[in-house]
Amino acid sequence: MGLLSQGSPLSWEETKRHADHVRRHGILQFLHIYHAVKDRHKDVLKWGDEVEYMLVSFDHENKKVQLVLSGEEVLETLQEKGERTNPNHPTLWRPEYGSYMIEGTPGQPYGGTMSEFNTVEANMRKRRKEATSLLEENQALCTITSFPRLGCPGFTIPEYTPNPVEGGASKSLFFPDEAINKHPRFSTLTRNIRHRRGEKVVINVPIFKDKNTPSPFIETFPEDDEAAKASKPDHIYMDAMGFGMGNCCLQVTFQACSISEARYLYDQLATICPIVMALSAASPFYRGYVSDIDCRWGVISASVDDRTREERGLEPLKNNNFRISKSRYDSIDSYLSKCGEKYNDIDLTIDKEIYEQLLQEGIDHLLAQHVAHLFIRDPLTLFEEKIHLDDANESDHFENIQSTNWQTMRFKPPPPNSDIGWRVEFRPMEVQLTDFENSAYVVFVVLLTRVILSYKLDFLIPLSKVDENMKVAQKRDAVLRDMFYFRKDICKGGNAVVDGCGKAQHSTEPAVEEYTLMSIDTIINGKEGVFPGLIPILNSYLENMEVDVDTRCSILNYLKLIKKRASGELMTVARWMREFIANHPDYKQDSVITDEMNYSLLLKCNQIANELCECPELLGSAFRKVKYSGSKTESSN
Ligand code: GLU
Ligand code: MG
C-alpha cells in the first residue's frame, strides 16, 4: 500500500511542520513529470493484478485459527529467493499493512494479447504455491478479505494483549500494535492518523440482527472513554486502522497508451467500481460478529479517517483550512476526461493556490482540480532523511500525498525517468477464495477496458449517482436485492470519446435522463429492451477476436462465473460465508462467531482454495478444473 522509505520516521507534530514543504515540492515533482511525459503516446497496453494474502495457522486440536505474525520474514525469503536472485522471476512480493499479510503480483506486467488471459490463473497459482511452500505445516496462505475474528482476544499467533496506552500506535482496545507490519511506515501512519484526527478512529458497522441477537445490541467499554462515547448501539465498534487496512483486496493496474486514454479509462471504470465491488462482496464478519454489510469499503474508509473535528464539520473552522466531506480512503470526487466534466456534480474541495499554479503551468482545469483536490491532505508520514529531494528526478513528495489518497480509482503519472506510461488503478474489488475466482474478476475488468476502448463505450453518469451506488453496493446481498444507477445508452458515442466528446446529445439534451436504476443482473447480463448487458457485449467482442481455443475456453469460464454471480445462480463469497455460519451446529442465531466456527469456516475456505473440496454454490460445477502444471494450464474436460 504505497511508498516504502527507509529511515527515521517523524512524529505527527514534526511531519505537520513540513506539510507545506511536502506539498510544494510534491507539486513541483508532479510538474516535472507532467512536462516531461504529457505528450507521450503509443505506450502499449500493459496491465497487472495485485492479490493480498493473509497467513493463518490452524490449531486442529483446539479448533482454533489465528493470524500468523510472520509476514515480514516470509516476505524477506520470498524476495531473496525470487526477484533478488532472478530479475525475471515470475512473481513479485510486497509488504502489506498487517504483520500477517503479504501482497503478490506477477513478475512482469501482462501485455495486450488475448493469450495472456490464459496465464493469469497459472501465475496466481504459482504465487500461492510459492508462498505456501515457506509456511509451517499447520499454516496456510488465505485469500480472504476480512478475518472474521480480527480483533478478538488471541486472534494472532504469537498472542498479544492490546495495550491501549498513550505512546502506542493505535491505542486500540482490540488490535495489538504487534499485528501491524514492522516496517516503520505502517505504525507511523497509524499513529499519525490518530494524532492528526485528535482521537482514535471510529468504525461502527451495523450488526446483523438474527433471531437471538440482543436488541438493542449494546457493548459497553467502561474502561475507555473514547470507546464509550464513540460506539453506537446495534453496531460492531472498532477503533483501529488495522480493522480496515488489515483487510485484503484484489486490484488491477492498467497502462494506457497516452494520458488522455488513461483519463478516459479512469472515468469509465469509476462508474463500474460499485458494481464490481458488490459482485465481489466477501467480507460479512467483523470482530467476531455477523454484520449487516458485505463489503470492507466503509470499514477501511473509517479506519484511516484522519480528518479533524473541524474538517468533518463538527466544529467551526479555526485551525484547519477546509471542510472535507470524505475520508482519504473513499470514492473518487471528480472525473478527469472532457466527457466527464458535465457529470462532475460533487462539491470539490481544492487547494486554490495549487490549482492556480497548475493552471499557470499549462495544466487544464480538470487535471488541475484533481491534483489540487488530492493535495488538500497533509502528508501522514515523513522520514527525516527524505525531506530535501531533487524535484527533477525524484517524486517521493508527490507520491507521499498521492499514495495516501486511497480512492476507488487512482490516476498514476509515470515515475520520473522511467519507461512506464500513464496508468490507472482499479481498487474496489474484494479478494476471492480461489485463484479461479480472482482470475475471473481480473479478466472481466481487463476485458471490459478493451471493449470500452474498442467500442468507445460511455458509462458516465453524474458522479453523485456513482457515490450513491457505492453506498448501496456494500449492503448485505446488494447484488440481488438492490438497484444501481447505470447509463441507459452506452453506445451512443460513435466518434472517438478519448480525445474529445463525440456526442451532440451531451450539450443539447441534458434534460433527458441518461441513466436509470437497474439490478446488477440487468447491468451484467442484460435485459431485453432495457440494457444490452456487459457480458453479452464482451461475448460479442470475443467472437470477433482471434483467440486460441484454450484461452477462449478459460475466458468463457471466467465470464460464466461473473454472469452467474450477477444473476444469483451462484453466491457471492459473502453470501456463502453467511450460509456457512448460519448452518454451523454451534451457531446460536445470535450473530456471534466463536473460535470454533471461525476455525471450521477458514478450514473450509482453505480446502476450497486448494481444490481439496468442491463448492458448487460458489463456483458452479460445470467449470473445467484447471490444474497448474509447470508453466502451462491444461483443461481436463
Ligand atoms: N488492503 C486495502 C484494501 O483492501 C488496499 C491497500 C492498498 O492500497 O494496497 O482496499
Ligand atoms: Mg496492497
Side-chain angles (χ1 to χ4, degrees):
M1 51 173 274
L3 189 73
L4 284 190
S5 297
Q6 292 298 336
S8 335
L10 299 180
S11 71
W12 168 240
E13 285 306 319
E14 293 162 321
T15 305
K16 192 170 147 182
R17 240 176 281 137
H18 295 288
D20 282 328
H21 170 90
V22 170
R23 271 188 293 263
R24 201 162 51 243
H25 289 275
I27 291 296
L28 293 177
Q29 293 166 7
F30 171 73
L31 284 168
H32 272 289
I33 294 172
Y34 179 81
H35 289 310
V37 294
K38 63 178 191 298
D39 295 324
R40 238 168 94 165
H41 245 79
K42 305 237 163 53
D43 281 316
V44 292
L45 189 80
K46 283 188 187 169
W47 59 277
D49 67 85
E50 287 161 57
V51 179
E52 295 172 347
Y53 301 87
M54 289 190 195
L55 308 173
V56 307
S57 169
F58 292 103
D59 174 349
H60 298 297
E61 207 171 305
N62 296 304
K63 301 224 156 90
K64 191 170 167 159
V65 60
Q66 291 165 302
L67 293 170
V68 194
L69 304 183
S70 63
E72 299 84 353
E73 291 88 69
V74 171
L75 176 69
E76 174 61 29
T77 314
L78 284 168
Q79 291 184 332
E80 194 49 49
K81 289 190 172 173
E83 61 190 281
R84 275 187 236 142
T85 309
N86 169 16
N88 294 320
H89 193 76
T91 60
L92 281 178
W93 296 95
R94 293 292 172 262
E96 252 306 333
Y97 182 84
S99 181
Y100 50 85
M101 291 165 80
I102 50 173
E103 177 181 294
T105 67
Q108 311 292 328
Y110 299 111
T113 61
M114 295 298 283
S115 60
E116 310 220 21
F117 290 123
N118 212 14
T119 66
V120 180
E121 190 174 338
N123 191 277
M124 286 187 189
R125 283 163 185 266
K126 202 172 275 181
R127 278 177 247 167
R128 195 181 287 274
K129 204 168 150 194
E130 196 174 284
T132 304
S133 74
L134 301 180
L135 304 180
E136 291 168 22
E137 201 188 313
N138 290 330
Q139 299 180 348
L141 186 79
C142 280
T143 39
I144 46 168
T145 295
S146 68
F147 185 73
R149 284 181 57 85
L150 194 75
C152 293
F155 77 98
T156 62
I157 185 164
E159 287 188 23
Y160 289 99
T161 313
N163 189 11
V165 291
E166 204 47 67
S170 37
K171 274 186 73 185
S172 171
L173 292 176
F174 320 103
F175 194 98
D177 284 351
E178 288 85 352
I180 304 173
N181 189 306
K182 291 181 191 64
H183 188 287
R185 168 178 165 84
F186 300 99
S187 49
T188 307
L189 269 174
T190 311
R191 182 181 292 105
N192 288 357
I193 285 175
R194 183 167 57 76
H195 282 163
R196 189 184 187 289
R197 179 180 167 91
E199 59 190 24
K200 287 201 286 188
V201 294
V202 175
I203 310 160
N204 278 300
V205 170
I207 191 148
F208 171 71
K209 285 279 181 76
D210 211 337
K211 233 167 66 196
N212 301 323
T213 313
S215 199
F217 168 83
I218 295 177
E219 290 182 290
T220 51
F221 307 100
E223 72 280 28
D224 184 315
D225 233 25
E226 282 187 62
K229 275 201 213 114
S231 58
K232 289 201 217 159
D234 287 332
H235 286 73
I236 307 160
Y237 167 71
M238 294 168 278
D239 65 349
M241 180 168 171
F243 282 108
M245 283 297 182
N247 294 332
C248 293
C249 69
L250 173 67
Q251 297 165 335
V252 196
T253 299
F254 308 91
Q255 173 176 282
C257 75
S258 64
I259 184 171
S260 58
E261 188 181 278
R263 292 168 69 161
Y264 170 60
L265 273 182
Y266 176 92
D267 288 2
Q268 297 299 329
L269 287 176
T271 67
I272 300 296
C273 287
I275 313 302
V276 181
M277 185 171 73
L279 265 175
S280 69
S283 47
F285 310 136
Y286 297 91
R287 232 190 84 231
Y289 293 110
V290 181
S291 84
D292 208 28
I293 60 167
D294 272 0
C295 296
R296 77 200 188 292
W297 193 263
V299 176
I300 309 189
S301 179
S303 84
V304 292
D305 190 352
D306 69 335
R307 291 172 303 159
T308 63
R309 292 180 63 80
E310 293 180 20
E311 288 169 336
R312 278 177 282 146
L314 301 172
E315 285 171 19
L317 280 179
K318 203 171 99 203
N319 300 312
N320 293 120
N321 298 331
F322 312 104
R323 284 278 318 274
I324 302 180
S325 58
K326 289 180 185 172
S327 163
R328 306 174 76 112
Y329 186 106
D330 218 309
S331 47
I332 67 158
D333 288 303
S334 69
Y335 288 123
L336 274 177
S337 68
K338 277 217 181 64
C339 307
E341 187 156 14
K342 74 168 206 165
Y343 299 107
N344 276 338
D345 65 340
I346 298 182
D347 269 340
L348 198 68
T349 312
I350 59 168
D351 183 314
K352 293 219 172 62
E353 267 173 50
I354 290 178
Y355 173 75
E356 292 299 333
Q357 182 190 359
L358 293 170
L359 286 191
Q360 270 163 26
E361 288 281 343
I363 293 183
D364 60 283
H365 161 69
L366 288 169
L367 184 55
Q369 72 170 10
H370 167 79
V371 176
H373 175 59
L374 298 182
F375 273 67
I376 59 174
R377 310 284 176 175
D378 279 336
L380 290 173
T381 59
L382 190 61
F383 290 83
E384 204 177 303
E385 298 80 357
K386 287 274 190 181
I387 299 176
H388 299 288
L389 302 175
D390 169 6
D391 291 335
N393 294 296
E394 287 175 283
S395 64
D396 290 37
H397 289 328
F398 173 72
E399 284 299 329
N400 188 329
I401 305 287
Q402 156 98 334
S403 72
T404 50
N405 271 279
W406 296 278
Q407 299 182 320
T408 35
M409 297 295 305
R410 189 177 280 158
F411 177 68
K412 301 171 89 163
N417 310 318
S418 76
D419 54 11
I420 298 176
W422 293 89
R423 290 168 299 165
V424 294
E425 188 178 3
F426 184 79
R427 306 171 43 82
M429 290 191 286
E430 308 229 323
V431 76
Q432 310 293 300
L433 296 183
T434 63
D435 299 319
F436 168 68
E437 294 159 279
N438 286 317
S439 305
Y441 282 82
V442 165
V443 168
F444 172 73
V445 174
V446 181
L447 265 179
L448 197 58
T449 63
R450 304 294 165 85
V451 168
I452 291 172
L453 291 173
S454 320
Y455 295 166
K456 314 226 165 20
L457 300 182
D458 182 6
F459 296 140
L460 300 189
I461 57 174
L463 209 43
S464 61
K465 294 293 173 213
V466 179
D467 267 6
E468 284 184 48
N469 286 349
M470 277 302 287
K471 294 216 171 70
V472 169
Q474 300 170 55
K475 295 186 1 195
R476 176 166 49 87
D477 293 325
V479 172
L480 302 182
R481 302 199 315 177
D482 285 289
M483 301 288 273
F484 294 78
Y485 291 104
F486 211 78
R487 193 176 173 92
K488 288 188 275 193
D489 186 354
I490 58 174
C491 303
K492 285 195 298 191
N495 307 321
V497 278
V498 173
D499 291 306
C501 300
K503 303 174 191 179
Q505 289 95 326
H506 269 185
S507 49
T508 54
E509 291 169 41
V512 186
E513 204 116 84
E514 293 166 320
Y515 55 88
T516 185
L517 282 167
M518 299 183 200
S519 67
I520 289 203
D521 189 23
T522 301
I523 296 169
I524 296 292
N525 296 319
K527 190 170 171 185
E528 188 79 51
V530 179
F531 187 72
L534 301 180
I535 295 268
I537 297 175
L538 293 186
N539 280 331
S540 84
Y541 172 79
L542 278 175
E543 273 162 29
N544 295 316
M545 293 296 288
E546 261 194 48
V547 190
D548 66 87
V549 180
D550 198 46
T551 303
R552 187 179 297 274
C553 172
S554 300
I555 296 176
L556 292 177
N557 267 321
Y558 295 147
L559 295 186
K560 224 185 274 172
L561 180 84
I562 303 295
K563 174 188 155 119
K564 292 187 174 182
R565 290 253 170 110
S567 71
E569 196 176 323
L570 294 177
M571 293 178 190
T572 61
V573 175
R575 172 50 34 208
W576 176 81
M577 285 183 165
R578 287 180 186 280
E579 309 258 317
F580 185 93
I581 291 298
N583 293 322
H584 194 283
D586 290 354
Y587 181 59
K588 299 203 175 60
Q589 295 178 291
D590 56 358
S591 317
V592 172
I593 298 169
T594 62
D595 264 324
E596 192 163 335
M597 287 153 60
N598 195 31
Y599 166 83
S600 350
L601 175 64
L602 269 281
L603 200 61
K604 183 79 177 177
C605 291
N606 192 43
Q607 286 167 348
I608 296 171
N610 289 295
E611 294 172 330
L612 300 170
C613 69
E614 305 217 322
C615 189
E617 319 86 275
L618 195 62
L619 307 173
S621 49
F623 299 136
R624 81 178 173 161
K625 270 254 161 64
V626 189
K627 281 264 179 264
Y628 176 63
S629 57
S631 61
K632 207 167 135 260
T633 47
E634 299 171 336
S635 84
S636 60
N637 66 336

